[in-house]
mmCIF file of all heavy atoms in Angstrom:
data_model
loop_
_atom_site.group_PDB
_atom_site.id
_atom_site.type_symbol
_atom_site.label_atom_id
_atom_site.label_comp_id
_atom_site.label_asym_id
_atom_site.label_seq_id
_atom_site.Cartn_x
_atom_site.Cartn_y
_atom_site.Cartn_z
ATOM 1 N N LYS U 358 66.572 -22.294 -131.979
ATOM 2 C CA LYS U 358 67.724 -22.997 -132.554
ATOM 3 C C LYS U 358 68.926 -22.923 -131.615
ATOM 4 O O LYS U 358 69.662 -23.911 -131.424
ATOM 5 C CB LYS U 358 68.072 -22.373 -133.911
ATOM 6 C CG LYS U 358 69.273 -22.995 -134.618
ATOM 7 C CD LYS U 358 69.433 -22.354 -135.993
ATOM 8 C CE LYS U 358 70.654 -22.893 -136.720
ATOM 9 N NZ LYS U 358 71.910 -22.383 -136.137
ATOM 10 N N LYS U 363 72.880 -25.581 -128.835
ATOM 11 C CA LYS U 363 73.926 -25.117 -127.916
ATOM 12 C C LYS U 363 74.680 -23.905 -128.467
ATOM 13 O O LYS U 363 75.915 -23.839 -128.417
ATOM 14 C CB LYS U 363 74.905 -26.247 -127.598
ATOM 15 C CG LYS U 363 74.256 -27.436 -126.922
ATOM 16 C CD LYS U 363 75.264 -28.513 -126.593
ATOM 17 C CE LYS U 363 74.589 -29.697 -125.898
ATOM 18 N NZ LYS U 363 75.534 -30.767 -125.560
ATOM 19 N N GLU U 364 73.927 -22.950 -128.965
ATOM 20 C CA GLU U 364 74.536 -21.713 -129.459
ATOM 21 C C GLU U 364 74.440 -20.580 -128.439
ATOM 22 O O GLU U 364 74.827 -19.455 -128.727
ATOM 23 C CB GLU U 364 73.869 -21.297 -130.775
ATOM 24 C CG GLU U 364 74.170 -22.256 -131.918
ATOM 25 C CD GLU U 364 73.480 -21.869 -133.215
ATOM 26 O OE1 GLU U 364 72.628 -20.948 -133.174
ATOM 27 O OE2 GLU U 364 73.787 -22.485 -134.249
ATOM 28 N N PHE U 366 75.832 -19.328 -124.711
ATOM 29 C CA PHE U 366 76.973 -19.596 -123.836
ATOM 30 C C PHE U 366 77.053 -18.524 -122.759
ATOM 31 O O PHE U 366 76.416 -17.468 -122.853
ATOM 32 C CB PHE U 366 78.282 -19.666 -124.635
ATOM 33 C CG PHE U 366 78.688 -18.376 -125.306
ATOM 34 C CD1 PHE U 366 79.613 -17.529 -124.713
ATOM 35 C CD2 PHE U 366 78.143 -18.007 -126.532
ATOM 36 C CE1 PHE U 366 80.004 -16.351 -125.324
ATOM 37 C CE2 PHE U 366 78.513 -16.820 -127.151
ATOM 38 C CZ PHE U 366 79.451 -15.996 -126.549
ATOM 39 N N VAL U 368 79.394 -16.031 -120.153
ATOM 40 C CA VAL U 368 80.655 -15.363 -119.859
ATOM 41 C C VAL U 368 80.623 -14.963 -118.389
ATOM 42 O O VAL U 368 79.554 -14.873 -117.778
ATOM 43 C CB VAL U 368 80.882 -14.136 -120.755
ATOM 44 C CG1 VAL U 368 81.107 -14.554 -122.191
ATOM 45 C CG2 VAL U 368 79.696 -13.174 -120.667
ATOM 46 N N ARG U 388 75.179 -14.989 -123.472
ATOM 47 C CA ARG U 388 75.439 -14.490 -124.816
ATOM 48 C C ARG U 388 74.915 -15.514 -125.824
ATOM 49 O O ARG U 388 74.706 -16.673 -125.502
ATOM 50 C CB ARG U 388 76.935 -14.265 -125.052
ATOM 51 C CG ARG U 388 77.596 -13.272 -124.093
ATOM 52 C CD ARG U 388 77.141 -11.866 -124.382
ATOM 53 N NE ARG U 388 77.899 -10.883 -123.615
ATOM 54 C CZ ARG U 388 77.529 -10.417 -122.430
ATOM 55 N NH1 ARG U 388 76.410 -10.862 -121.871
ATOM 56 N NH2 ARG U 388 78.258 -9.519 -121.794
ATOM 57 N N MET U 389 74.739 -15.067 -127.092
ATOM 58 C CA MET U 389 74.319 -15.975 -128.162
ATOM 59 C C MET U 389 75.322 -15.891 -129.307
ATOM 60 O O MET U 389 75.811 -14.815 -129.636
ATOM 61 C CB MET U 389 72.920 -15.602 -128.664
ATOM 62 C CG MET U 389 72.410 -16.513 -129.782
ATOM 63 S SD MET U 389 70.884 -15.908 -130.590
ATOM 64 C CE MET U 389 69.691 -16.140 -129.274
ATOM 65 N N LYS U 390 75.601 -17.048 -129.919
ATOM 66 C CA LYS U 390 76.491 -17.080 -131.068
ATOM 67 C C LYS U 390 75.734 -16.626 -132.312
ATOM 68 O O LYS U 390 74.633 -17.084 -132.585
ATOM 69 C CB LYS U 390 77.025 -18.496 -131.294
ATOM 70 C CG LYS U 390 77.909 -19.012 -130.170
ATOM 71 C CD LYS U 390 78.350 -20.444 -130.456
ATOM 72 C CE LYS U 390 79.178 -20.990 -129.297
ATOM 73 N NZ LYS U 390 79.550 -22.414 -129.525
ATOM 74 N N GLY U 391 76.350 -15.723 -133.067
ATOM 75 C CA GLY U 391 75.758 -15.274 -134.319
ATOM 76 C C GLY U 391 76.546 -15.795 -135.504
ATOM 77 O O GLY U 391 77.466 -16.611 -135.367
ATOM 78 N N GLU U 392 76.188 -15.310 -136.678
ATOM 79 C CA GLU U 392 76.898 -15.731 -137.878
ATOM 80 C C GLU U 392 78.320 -15.182 -137.882
ATOM 81 O O GLU U 392 78.597 -14.115 -137.341
ATOM 82 C CB GLU U 392 76.147 -15.239 -139.121
ATOM 83 C CG GLU U 392 74.768 -15.867 -139.293
ATOM 84 C CD GLU U 392 74.078 -15.375 -140.546
ATOM 85 O OE1 GLU U 392 74.670 -14.510 -141.237
ATOM 86 O OE2 GLU U 392 72.963 -15.851 -140.833
ATOM 87 N N ASP U 393 79.215 -15.923 -138.504
ATOM 88 C CA ASP U 393 80.621 -15.519 -138.638
ATOM 89 C C ASP U 393 81.266 -15.259 -137.284
ATOM 90 O O ASP U 393 82.036 -14.299 -137.103
ATOM 91 C CB ASP U 393 80.737 -14.278 -139.525
ATOM 92 C CG ASP U 393 80.185 -14.507 -140.919
ATOM 93 O OD1 ASP U 393 80.337 -15.635 -141.433
ATOM 94 O OD2 ASP U 393 79.585 -13.566 -141.463
ATOM 95 N N ASN U 394 80.902 -16.093 -136.301
ATOM 96 C CA ASN U 394 81.496 -16.023 -134.959
ATOM 97 C C ASN U 394 81.221 -14.695 -134.247
ATOM 98 O O ASN U 394 81.974 -14.283 -133.362
ATOM 99 C CB ASN U 394 83.010 -16.252 -135.030
ATOM 100 C CG ASN U 394 83.363 -17.665 -135.464
ATOM 101 O OD1 ASN U 394 82.700 -18.628 -135.058
ATOM 102 N ND2 ASN U 394 84.404 -17.789 -136.286
ATOM 103 N N THR U 395 80.169 -14.018 -134.650
ATOM 104 C CA THR U 395 79.784 -12.803 -133.926
ATOM 105 C C THR U 395 79.099 -13.179 -132.613
ATOM 106 O O THR U 395 78.592 -14.289 -132.454
ATOM 107 C CB THR U 395 78.835 -11.937 -134.775
ATOM 108 O OG1 THR U 395 77.679 -12.721 -135.111
ATOM 109 C CG2 THR U 395 79.526 -11.465 -136.043
ATOM 110 N N VAL U 396 79.109 -12.238 -131.683
ATOM 111 C CA VAL U 396 78.485 -12.449 -130.372
ATOM 112 C C VAL U 396 77.273 -11.525 -130.268
ATOM 113 O O VAL U 396 77.380 -10.313 -130.477
ATOM 114 C CB VAL U 396 79.467 -12.163 -129.222
ATOM 115 C CG1 VAL U 396 78.760 -12.312 -127.878
ATOM 116 C CG2 VAL U 396 80.662 -13.098 -129.307
ATOM 117 N N ILE U 397 76.120 -12.105 -129.948
ATOM 118 C CA ILE U 397 74.873 -11.345 -129.849
ATOM 119 C C ILE U 397 74.596 -11.017 -128.390
ATOM 120 O O ILE U 397 74.569 -11.903 -127.537
ATOM 121 C CB ILE U 397 73.703 -12.148 -130.447
ATOM 122 C CG1 ILE U 397 73.989 -12.461 -131.924
ATOM 123 C CG2 ILE U 397 72.397 -11.370 -130.315
ATOM 124 C CD1 ILE U 397 72.952 -13.367 -132.555
ATOM 125 N N SER U 398 74.405 -9.736 -128.106
ATOM 126 C CA SER U 398 74.132 -9.276 -126.739
ATOM 127 C C SER U 398 72.752 -9.746 -126.273
ATOM 128 O O SER U 398 71.822 -9.854 -127.082
ATOM 129 C CB SER U 398 74.203 -7.752 -126.690
ATOM 130 O OG SER U 398 73.610 -7.246 -125.522
ATOM 131 N N GLN U 401 69.477 -7.977 -127.316
ATOM 132 C CA GLN U 401 68.855 -8.173 -128.607
ATOM 133 C C GLN U 401 67.821 -9.295 -128.597
ATOM 134 O O GLN U 401 66.865 -9.258 -129.362
ATOM 135 C CB GLN U 401 69.926 -8.466 -129.661
ATOM 136 C CG GLN U 401 70.866 -7.300 -129.926
ATOM 137 C CD GLN U 401 71.917 -7.648 -130.957
ATOM 138 O OE1 GLN U 401 73.039 -8.005 -130.630
ATOM 139 N NE2 GLN U 401 71.547 -7.553 -132.218
ATOM 140 N N THR U 590 84.854 -15.818 -121.241
ATOM 141 C CA THR U 590 84.455 -17.229 -121.130
ATOM 142 C C THR U 590 85.330 -17.985 -120.136
ATOM 143 O O THR U 590 84.944 -19.055 -119.653
ATOM 144 C CB THR U 590 84.553 -17.911 -122.506
ATOM 145 O OG1 THR U 590 85.880 -17.743 -123.031
ATOM 146 C CG2 THR U 590 83.538 -17.313 -123.474
#
Side-chain angles (χ1 to χ4, degrees):
K358 179 176 177 287
K363 299 181 179 180
E364 292 178 351
F366 64 98
V368 292
R388 301 289 188 268
M389 180 190 290
K390 295 178 183 177
E392 295 181 357
D393 301 325
N394 293 321
T395 58
V396 177
I397 300 174
S398 164
Q401 294 179 263
T590 55

